[in-house]
Amino acid sequence: MGHHKEFIDKPMLDAAVTGRAFKLAAVIGGVGLAATAAGLAMGEKEQFFFSWLVAFMVFTTISVGALFYTIIHHVARATYSAGLRRTAENVAANLPIMAVLFIPVILGMHTLYHWTHAEAVAEDPILQWKSGYLNDTFFLIRAAAYFAVWTALIWFFRRTSVAQDASGDVALTFKMRKYAPIGVLAVALSITFAGFDWAMSLDPHWFSTMFGVWTFAGSLVGFYAVQALMVLWLSKPGRYENTLTVGVRHDAGKLLFAFTIFWAYISFSQYYLIWYANIPEETAFFQHRLQGGWENVGRLVIIGHFLLPFWVLMSRHMKRNRTVLALGAGWMIVMHFVDLYYVIMPNFHTHGPHYHWMDLTALLGIGGLWLAFIIRRYQKAAGVAYRDPQLIASMEYDNA
Amino acid sequence: MATVSRDDTIFPPPLVAGDPTFGSITDTICRIVEKPPTIPWLVAFGAASTVLTMLLCAIAYLFWEGTGIWGLNNPVGWGWAIVNFVFWVGIGHAGTLISAVLFLFRQKWRTAINRFAEAMTIFAVICALVFPGIHVGRIWAAYWMLPLPNQMGMWPNFRSPLLWDVFAVSTYFTVSLLFWYVGLIPDLATLRDRAKGKLAFWAYGFFSLGWRGANRHWQNYERAYLILAGLATPLVLSVHTIVSFDFAVSVIPGWHTTIFPPYFVAGAIFSGFAMVLTLAVPSRKLFGLQDFITVRHIENMNKIILVTGTMVGYAYAMEFFIAWYSASPYEAFAFVNRAFGPYAWAYWIMVSCNVITPQLFWFKKIRTNIVLTFILSIFVNIGMWFERFVITMSLHRDFLPSSWDYFSPTLFDWAMLIGSFGLFFTLFILFLKFLPAVAIAEVKGVLPQANPHWEGYHKHAEGGAHHG
């Protein structure tokens, strides 16, 4: 052991810091939710449900991405991410909250999902064929199962992790490692079918074997963007500046960069194979999204979700620069929203984009609330797993 | 903290077992090359080159007679040539994955296995390249695959993934070869410095490019290695992606499905790691490399096999689910026919070997059992060959029931499949004899005493903690 490092930051964030952040997030969330509720009261029911679904999907996928990262850390027995994992745990712990925020989707099922209409199914042989899977009861059972799996997993991993703050017991790390592989399987399958249910079935005739992987890829891009912003916030002077080193920030940037490419690979493969084979039942999906103005949103996704971040985040210098990383990560959260908007919203505004203020208020409302709950967790427990036996080793990677 | 056994410590055990010194590592690895060929080596080389001769004879007859000697028929116009091509290209992924991707991920355990995994990659790609080369039938026109300007104004179809394969695989081969060669240079210089004979001195000296181990040499070397790793990583992914496009851009049920690119890449890594284990397990015993390729290395590789095998299983499940969900009768038929039609035997061999048996690696006892690892790695090799066979045989029942047929391989199909293993093993056995099978310089770099802050100079016998 050459340079002996040790944990010298304060385990807890200052109450003033978290208090300010909490207040800001809660106000944004409150105002956003109130405005969205007003929109619903004004009678724009259909727009409300679609705007809500997009915002719900943005933050649910990010939370599931965080859950995946929490667990994969233990599967891979990673060292570098010891200082990052509490952030992932805190974000993923919002999944039970997302279950509550799913209630409007249930209430709006009839508006959102064409296959819930008995009369539509009656005259459509394809929907009849699928009705063993696409029916109200099974849809709700599946949603309950996804949230149950996610809640159980994050409850176990976060509780065990916080318990280690008190005891510093190495056995807890082994305990988490023991259950991690099965957790990864459960997350992979649940996010796949959640993607099929909540987004793909909006267009119930359309299908793609890649859609589950696509949902997963977007989830991780969204989460890595959030993680990069959180690390920047947590590594400011007086917080965890000695623990979350420039090397850790660099790693957060690398993950964002790598999964931006992974997302592009998956999205391109899906588009390209459908375009090349040119079978009508598959191309219809992209046909809708390439006309009436939607094609401009598609161009924005290609440029904003891949080309721009690819060139900006490739450089080591950019990833280690606080301002560039913050801009890049913030931009990618917006792009994650645009990506989901591009998949979900054309099912409602079929003839071209029709931007509505509720798209924004629902996003800010759910997002503010979501962030406020995350900040709460920093008020209750340490912001890094400071007695993780691998933490000191993680601080020694300088990524030079 | 209570005392814990070595397996339970939070950090993994040292990468090199047996407390070696820098000198003992050089001696162990160079001795394999320097001592005269052993009887087992001669027997293995004789057997492999005999099988290779069979391949050459079969190819000669193919050129003389044409592709009619294969079992191709009307709906199945693409037979074992494409199956064998995809099989070998898939195996050719592990080397660069271990070398480049694990290098970028700073997985230091790769150092013991990267050298011969890379060699294996290059030989597997050579085997793969044989099949598109010979399957054109009119071999004298094989150069038409390349976009060469000509007075007939004839060009290959640039819209066809088969042409992109030509570019992707040849680029991949070139970069893999360069990557392997750059990594070899310091070790070739070591062999040069130890050479007793004139020929060995001259040959190793020529290929080590005047390496003297100077500081500047190392700096350039490290930089070149990093750049090649960065270049090789997208290439690994692109090759099997494009191979998957060969099938997936078509409108054939069972071939056209959007998950094919990542599914093929996962399958390639899966089969490549299995082949590395198939080769590593006997080699480490035969050449006394147990201290370098430890049980920990084998366990790590088994974990990657478990992960990628499960990904492949996920892809099979998605194909089946969406075949039902799509409500397309052709899609549904293609998959039901796979599982319960005339080729059901092949389908269930594939599922058993690729999805079911790798699940045994959930158990640490099995992951760390050398004999079982070897057996299961062969299962994966078989399963992955059958995966490509099952996919290709989607052709046997096409849209027109009157043309349905059953593909049966001929003697020449068999001769070429088995013969390709002869080519592969001949090259691999030659490699073991003439080049250092383990990256000498890199293994030294992961020893605890390579760390400039190592505290163990005075108490070397304890082995030292290697982290820090």
Side-chain angles (χ1 to χ4, degrees), chain A residues 1-4 75 77 79-80 126 129-134 170 173-174 177 181-182 185 188-189 192-193 196 200-201 203-213 251 254 262 265-266 268-274 276-279 281-282 389-390 393 396-397 399, chain B residues 1 4 7-11 104 106-107 157 159-161 164 237 240-241 244-245 248-251 256-263 265 299 303 307 310 314-315 318-328 331-332 359 362 364 367 451 453-455 465-468:
Chain A
M1 301 278 167
H3 311 286
H4 277 287
V75 174
R77 314 205 160 173
T79 302
Y80 82 97
I126 292 181
W129 173 271
K130 297 185 183 195
S131 62
Y133 184 80
L134 292 182
V170 188
T173 299
F174 292 117
R177 283 181 178 179
I182 201 81
L185 261 185
L189 286 174
T192 298
F193 284 96
F196 288 164
M200 193 169 86
S201 85
D203 185 350
H205 282 198
W206 187 72
F207 54 88
S208 166
T209 42
M210 188 75 111
F211 202 83
V213 185
D251 277 335
K254 282 183 193 172
F262 178 67
Y265 171 64
I266 297 298
F268 172 74
S269 297
Q270 174 167 275
Y271 172 78
Y272 175 77
L273 290 174
I274 289 173
Y276 200 117
N278 204 8
I279 302 173
E281 64 242 44
E282 291 179 354
Q390 286 158 297
E396 286 173 357
Y397 285 122
N399 259 329
Chain B
M1 201 197 309
V4 281
D7 283 351
D8 286 346
T9 50
I10 204 80
F11 296 112
L104 295 182
R106 292 189 229 112
Q107 295 294 308
N157 183 359
R159 295 180 194 174
S160 165
W164 310 340
L237 298 178
H240 232 58
T241 298
S244 83
F245 285 175
V249 296
S250 70
V251 292
H256 173 67
T257 182
T258 48
I259 205 170
F260 253 40
Y263 152 43
V265 172
E299 194 190 354
K303 283 181 182 170
V307 169
T310 309
Y314 169 92
M318 283 309 122
E319 282 187 318
F320 244 91
F321 174 74
I322 294 291
W324 173 82
Y325 179 89
S326 70
S328 159
E331 280 288 322
Q359 301 303 318
W362 280 95
K364 192 184 173 83
R367 283 201 302 268
N451 187 331
H453 302 290
W454 188 52
E455 287 164 347
H466 72 289
H467 265 273

Side-chain angles (χ1 to χ4, degrees), chain B residues 61-373:
Chain B
Y61 188 63
L62 175 81
F63 290 168
W64 178 259
E65 194 67 21
T67 51
I69 65 169
W70 288 338
L72 304 174
N73 56 39
N74 192 0
V76 188
W78 236 13
W80 281 20
I82 186 75
V83 177
N84 297 341
F85 165 70
V86 181
F87 173 72
W88 283 115
V89 166
I91 288 172
H93 274 59
T96 309
L97 188 101
I98 289 170
S99 300
V101 180
L102 296 185
F103 177 73
L104 295 182
F105 276 105
R106 292 189 229 112
Q107 295 294 308
K108 289 189 173 165
W109 59 275
R110 69 184 258 292
T111 48
I113 50 171
N114 66 342
R115 170 65 46 73
F116 77 79
E118 285 169 43
M120 183 208 78
T121 286
I122 287 159
F123 306 146
V125 176
I126 290 173
C127 290
L129 283 169
V130 167
F131 288 96
I134 62 173
H135 98 300
V136 293
R138 289 178 290 169
I139 188 65
W140 53 92
Y143 70 92
W144 287 4
M145 286 193 278
L146 303 171
L148 302 170
N150 60 77
Q151 59 200 14
M152 294 180 288
M154 282 195 1
W155 294 93
N157 183 359
F158 285 102
R159 295 180 194 174
S160 165
L162 295 173
L163 178 67
W164 310 340
D165 262 346
V166 176
F167 302 145
V169 179
S170 52
T171 311
Y172 178 64
F173 180 74
T174 311
V175 172
S176 297
L177 190 66
L178 276 175
F179 196 37
W180 185 53
Y181 177 57
V182 167
L184 267 168
I185 290 173
D187 292 356
L188 290 175
T190 305
L191 285 171
R192 172 200 63 197
D193 296 345
R194 292 166 58 100
K196 299 269 192 304
K198 263 244 148 59
L199 181 66
F201 177 75
W202 184 84
Y204 290 123
F206 179 81
F207 285 105
S208 55
L209 303 181
W211 178 272
R212 294 185 313 279
N215 190 352
R216 175 174 290 193
H217 288 180
W218 278 110
Q219 278 186 0
N220 288 336
Y221 168 87
E222 297 276 347
R223 181 57 60 91
Y225 202 81
L226 180 64
I227 291 172
L228 281 170
L231 282 177
T233 301
L235 281 175
V236 181
L237 298 178
S238 77
V239 171
H240 232 58
T241 298
I242 290 172
V243 169
S244 83
F245 285 175
D246 293 347
F247 300 94
V249 296
S250 70
V251 292
I252 308 287
W255 285 9
H256 173 67
T257 182
T258 48
I259 205 170
F260 253 40
Y263 152 43
F264 265 50
V265 172
I269 297 166
F270 181 55
S271 68
F273 268 83
M275 188 55 101
V276 172
L277 279 171
T278 307
L279 298 173
V281 168
S283 307
R284 74 193 273 275
K285 180 113 182 94
L286 220 55
F287 298 112
L289 298 173
Q290 285 100 325
D291 284 347
F292 302 108
I293 305 170
T294 63
V295 173
R296 178 183 163 202
H297 292 89
I298 288 172
E299 194 190 354
N300 280 352
M301 284 192 271
N302 283 334
K303 283 181 182 170
I304 291 180
I305 286 182
L306 174 61
V307 169
T308 48
T310 309
M311 284 181 186
V312 167
Y314 169 92
Y316 295 164
M318 283 309 122
E319 282 187 318
F320 244 91
F321 174 74
I322 294 291
W324 173 82
Y325 179 89
S326 70
S328 159
Y330 304 104
E331 280 288 322
F333 174 79
F335 284 93
V336 170
N337 186 51
R338 266 185 198 176
F340 304 106
Y343 284 109
W345 58 274
Y347 182 82
W348 293 107
I349 290 176
M350 169 188 100
V351 171
S352 311
C353 295
N354 288 351
V355 185
I356 300 172
T357 52
Q359 301 303 318
L360 290 170
F361 286 140
W362 280 95
F363 304 103
K364 192 184 173 83
K365 271 221 167 84
I366 295 177
R367 283 201 302 268
T368 51
N369 182 313
I370 309 291
V371 176
L372 281 177
T373 295

